[in-house]
Amino acid sequence: MNILKNKSVASWVNKIKEIFDPSEVIWLNGDVKQIENLKENAVKGGILFRLNEGIMPNCFLHRSSINDVARSESRTFVCCDKHEDAGPTNNWQKPHEAFEKLINISKNSYRNRKMYVIPFAMGPPGSPLCKLGIQVTDSVYVAIMMTIMTRLNSQVIKKFESLEETMCNDLLETTSWTRCLHASCDNDPENRYICHFPQSNFIFSINSNYGGNALLGKKCLALRLASVSANKEGWLAEHMAIVGIKRPGKEIKYMCACFPSGCGKTDFAMMKLPKSYTERGYEVWCVGDDIAWLKIDSNGRLRAINAENGFFGACSGINKDTNISLAIKKNTIFTNVMHNLADNTVWWDGLSKDVPENSLNWKGEHWEKQLETNQKNARFAVSAKNYPYLSKEFDNPEGVVIDAIIFGGKRKNLMPLVAESKDWEHGVFMASVLSTEITSAVDSNVGKTRRDPFSMLSFCGYNMADYFKHWLNVGKKLVNAPKIFHVNWFMQDEKDEIIWPGFGENIRVVDWILDRIENNIDCKDSLIGFLPYEKDINTKGMNLNEKHLNKLLFFDEELWDKEKKEIKSFYDKLNVGIFGKYIK
Ligand code: SAT
Ligand code: MN
């Protein structure tokens, strides 16, 4: 096998080598031994710490630079010829100007460093939606994380070989595979840029090694660039989990779930059912937790694949009673968690009641009780295959048929526990105004709502108003379109306490959704969509009184009148000229 048979790959990598001047070039091929070597070298270089082999086999801890702990939205750009193509929700720069600026900052920055070349696929290699990319980076941490989060194996390399490609002469020329150029530089936030060039199928990211800024197959390729292609080609690249639900005596039904961050998307994807449900034979299978690519099949049905190969999740709140904890017992890279020196393991908020006494915080300093912050955006990265309840359809190149799409935000009132959209268009409208209440005490906007359409505000690579239209167009082509639902797990009572317990108990709402899909039950009509009758939500074994249930299933039209005003001004900012009938 020789990937260099592909002329565009060979010429591009050569050019990058000339400009960045590394001491050595290392081609990754997915070989287990090679990855072990990389980890070993990272340990020697102090980039990774090997954790307790007996308790957490093949697990490592990494600490980031202290100013490189999150996605940098203000430094993220869509670089296309016309500003209006990026739309009002994206930062924009002219492609040549951005490219020159980044090259000037980063050229020669691989000097005395190794350059890792990572050929990867997003989506199963046999899938019609599969996309190929090559990431080049000087960070061994980023290279190792890429081997977890993307598909990297001999099948992928064969696909590169079989492409008939010519030389890549100009670095802004387009190629059929995505060029992902990453340089750590000196992690300087003032010179940090994450630039997307949709016309060139190219991503250029410098001065950050953080997940979404540096693992360029993820948000950059699989959402921002892919959403642009999807708009042109008639499919969907979405910020959604994919979950299969098995009910007793029935086939597994698959649904997509779309919740803005902090609303429990990963918990939903890896839902742990209450005992009363598992005893009756209910099962939940995870296909994906973050990014879904959806395509209309030859029968006019929507099918979804998970674009990724692993999970890059937040650790906070994970404890031994969650299903997620089963995925991260081995083969996991932890970033910015606490290091428990007593047994060389890791710790984060919520893992157990007390912070371990003898431990280092995320910066590697000895933890002292008076220090509040001990971890920073603590994360895990692990291959999907590590999760015991991964769906057997995970590698299915055709994907799974989607019967429902569930959108949900965090609202203390207004939005009922669950509402079924009246039709596709109404569902798209509801998703376009998806919103969460800002609860973080550090944010000066506390109490206000943040609108995050389709939870894609940070990830749609083109004009958001065109994105809504694209969703409407896809709906027109579907036969038996998935039903669209809106959920709200966060409604509060008069004492400001959240009424619904959430987590595994959400199966009770999913049950109603499946009953609606199967036409088993009736519903109430309302302005916001079809609502459940109280009797159709199973509350057996729950501590929920009738008053609370009524509140959860009630739609307040007075509040909605106020909301409509907000939506109008939001649409004005986005230049959305459709959906007028819903906000009259
Ligand atoms: O880095 S990711 O974008 O994958 C996760 C996050 O920070 O939201
Ligand atoms: Mn995400």
Side-chain angles (χ1 to χ4, degrees):
M1 263 187 328
N2 185 358
I3 192 171
L4 295 172
K5 274 191 207 151
N6 180 316
K7 289 206 183 80
S8 62
V9 172
S11 56
W12 184 67
V13 171
N14 236 336
K15 273 216 159 65
I16 299 303
K17 192 176 151 215
E18 275 166 25
I19 299 172
F20 287 79
D21 197 25
S23 57
E24 193 185 334
V25 178
I26 298 175
W27 288 80
L28 270 58
N29 56 21
D31 180 66
V32 180
K33 277 254 141 41
Q34 187 189 38
I35 297 171
E36 270 173 19
N37 272 337
L38 288 184
K39 289 181 181 164
E40 213 39 71
N41 287 336
V43 169
K44 281 189 199 132
I47 311 256
L48 293 183
F49 298 90
R50 190 181 283 281
L51 296 165
N52 188 321
E53 269 300 308
I55 305 176
M56 317 177 70
N58 196 28
C59 286
F60 298 84
L61 161 67
H62 170 75
R63 295 195 189 101
S64 76
S65 300
I66 54 170
N67 52 25
D68 189 20
V69 297
R71 272 186 295 104
S72 314
E73 296 193 359
S74 65
R75 316 291 309 183
T76 300
F77 292 82
V78 171
C79 307
C80 51
D81 288 337
K82 289 199 223 130
H83 191 166
E84 69 188 81
D85 289 343
T89 58
N90 282 306
N91 300 315
W92 172 82
Q93 285 184 62
K94 284 198 178 126
H96 275 97
E97 285 172 16
F99 181 75
E100 289 303 320
K101 180 159 58 188
L102 271 63
I103 279 285
N104 279 333
I105 298 170
S106 61
K107 67 182 170 207
N108 295 326
S109 70
Y110 290 1
R111 205 165 266 174
N112 301 320
R113 295 174 65 76
K114 289 177 182 151
M115 156 167 154
Y116 301 92
V117 185
I118 307 140
F120 66 91
M122 301 309 286
S127 167
L129 286 178
C130 170
K131 288 205 175 289
L132 297 177
I134 293 196
Q135 173 145 345
V136 169
T137 178
D138 59 333
S139 158
V140 68
Y141 166 70
V142 168
I144 292 167
M145 296 282 275
M146 284 294 289
T147 69
I148 295 174
M149 296 306 297
T150 71
R151 285 175 164 89
L152 161 51
N153 53 44
S154 52
Q155 206 186 347
V156 173
I157 294 182
K158 270 206 197 96
K159 279 198 78 156
F160 270 104
E161 283 174 1
S162 66
L163 295 174
E164 287 288 329
E165 299 265 323
T166 54
M167 302 268 284
C168 178
N169 294 312
D170 176 337
L171 287 178
L172 280 182
E173 202 173 282
T174 192
T175 38
S176 67
W177 47 278
T178 309
R179 300 179 323 282
C180 302
L181 176 52
H182 173 253
S184 312
C185 303
D186 40 16
N187 268 305
D188 172 11
E190 301 297 318
N191 272 321
R192 183 168 293 159
Y193 290 98
I194 300 99
C195 289
H196 305 71
F197 301 79
Q199 292 158 304
S200 312
N201 202 4
F202 174 48
I203 303 157
F204 194 174
S205 162
I206 59 174
N207 274 307
S208 169
N209 288 356
Y210 174 76
N213 295 339
L215 310 175
L216 302 183
K218 195 172 174 50
K219 301 292 195 318
C220 302
L221 189 165
L223 287 178
R224 296 196 192 94
L225 287 192
S227 64
V228 175
S229 310
N231 181 41
K232 290 199 182 108
E233 297 160 9
W235 53 283
L236 300 166
E238 301 300 327
H239 193 200
M240 293 177 179
I242 311 167
V243 189
I245 311 279
K246 168 112 182 63
R247 301 206 288 173
K250 296 191 170 157
E251 305 256 285
I252 301 180
K253 285 237 182 312
Y254 294 90
M255 48 187 70
C256 284
C258 177
F259 308 142
S261 67
C263 296
K265 185 153 59 103
T266 306
D267 283 315
F268 191 83
M270 303 186 195
M271 190 176 352
K272 181 168 179 166
L273 296 178
K275 215 160 153 238
S276 58
Y277 277 78
T278 47
E279 277 169 359
R280 279 153 63 201
Y282 281 71
E283 294 166 2
V284 179
W285 298 97
C286 175
V287 182
D289 76 325
D290 198 35
I291 300 179
W293 284 351
L294 304 107
K295 188 180 185 306
I296 307 170
D297 73 9
S298 54
N299 297 320
R301 304 228 49 200
L302 201 55
R303 281 178 175 267
I305 59 165
N306 176 359
E308 298 189 274
N309 188 59
F311 306 124
F312 177 63
C315 292
S316 169
I318 299 177
N319 61 48
K320 64 175 180 4
D321 296 326
T322 60
N323 276 350
I324 310 171
S325 70
L326 304 173
I328 56 175
K329 287 182 184 308
K330 53 179 185 185
N331 310 325
T332 306
I333 311 273
F334 295 93
T335 303
N336 290 353
V337 291
M338 286 190 82
H339 191 185
N340 184 350
L341 296 177
D343 57 1
N344 189 24
T345 59
V346 288
W347 193 88
W348 51 79
D349 260 348
L351 180 62
S352 57
K353 207 167 127 265
D354 296 316
V355 183
E357 285 287 332
N358 184 16
S359 53
L360 303 181
N361 68 10
W362 67 283
K363 294 182 187 165
E365 304 158 342
H366 269 276
W367 179 73
E368 321 237 350
K369 277 212 167 66
Q370 64 273 22
L371 291 180
E372 258 180 51
T373 322
N374 42 46
Q375 64 233 286
K376 196 82 176 191
N377 194 3
R379 293 263 164 181
F380 64 84
V382 70
S383 161
K385 296 272 161 67
N386 229 35
Y387 181 55
Y389 303 115
L390 184 70
S391 163
K392 65 178 188 334
E393 303 293 340
F394 175 73
D395 282 318
N396 180 349
E398 301 305 325
V400 292
V401 173
I402 297 298
D403 279 301
I405 305 178
I406 305 178
F407 293 94
K410 196 183 257 187
R411 299 297 302 259
K412 63 172 186 265
N413 52 32
L414 182 69
M415 300 308 290
L417 180 63
V418 57
E420 176 188 328
S421 300
K422 305 215 168 166
D423 53 30
W424 182 269
E425 185 189 355
H426 180 234
V428 173
F429 159 69
M430 289 302 296
S432 79
V433 298
L434 196 61
S435 60
T436 47
E437 252 134 49
I438 298 165
T439 48
S440 159
V442 291
D443 194 316
S444 58
N445 289 320
V446 156
K448 295 212 177 109
T449 52
R450 175 185 193 258
R451 290 212 184 267
D452 189 353
F454 289 79
S455 152
M456 283 287 277
L457 193 59
S458 316
F459 307 116
C460 178
Y462 64 104
N463 198 308
M464 195 56 104
D466 293 338
Y467 169 85
F468 299 158
K469 285 189 200 143
H470 177 52
W471 262 82
L472 292 181
N473 288 335
V474 167
K476 287 184 194 132
K477 295 189 199 121
L478 287 168
V479 181
N480 222 333
K483 285 193 178 200
I484 301 180
F485 296 83
H486 188 283
V487 298
N488 177 19
W489 315 130
F490 301 93
M491 195 182 270
Q492 293 179 2
D493 63 13
E494 51 296 329
K495 287 189 235 141
D496 290 346
E497 274 166 29
I498 294 177
I499 302 172
W500 185 253
F503 299 97
E505 305 294 343
N506 292 338
I507 189 68
R508 299 168 189 270
V509 173
V510 171
D511 225 5
W512 182 81
I513 287 173
L514 290 171
D515 277 332
R516 286 294 302 157
I517 288 166
E518 292 172 5
N519 269 322
N520 297 338
I521 49 169
D522 227 344
C523 60
K524 295 190 263 193
D525 199 359
S526 85
L527 273 179
I528 203 78
F530 303 125
L531 304 177
Y533 286 110
E534 278 74 1
K535 68 173 174 47
D536 290 326
I537 298 284
N538 175 22
T539 56
K540 213 166 136 201
M542 284 179 92
N543 187 12
L544 191 73
N545 63 38
E546 206 183 306
K547 202 175 103 213
H548 278 157
L549 184 62
N550 289 340
K551 187 170 164 86
L552 288 171
L553 302 182
F554 174 73
F555 178 59
D556 189 332
E557 292 190 11
E558 260 173 53
L559 285 177
W560 181 239
D561 276 339
K562 235 177 96 207
E563 181 87 357
K564 284 196 288 197
K565 291 200 187 85
E566 274 186 34
I567 293 175
K568 271 187 204 139
S569 69
F570 176 69
Y571 277 175
D572 283 346
K573 277 190 217 134
L574 261 51
N575 265 321
V576 176
I578 47 179
F579 302 130
K581 66 179 179 196
Y582 300 115
I583 46 173
K584 269 210 296 274

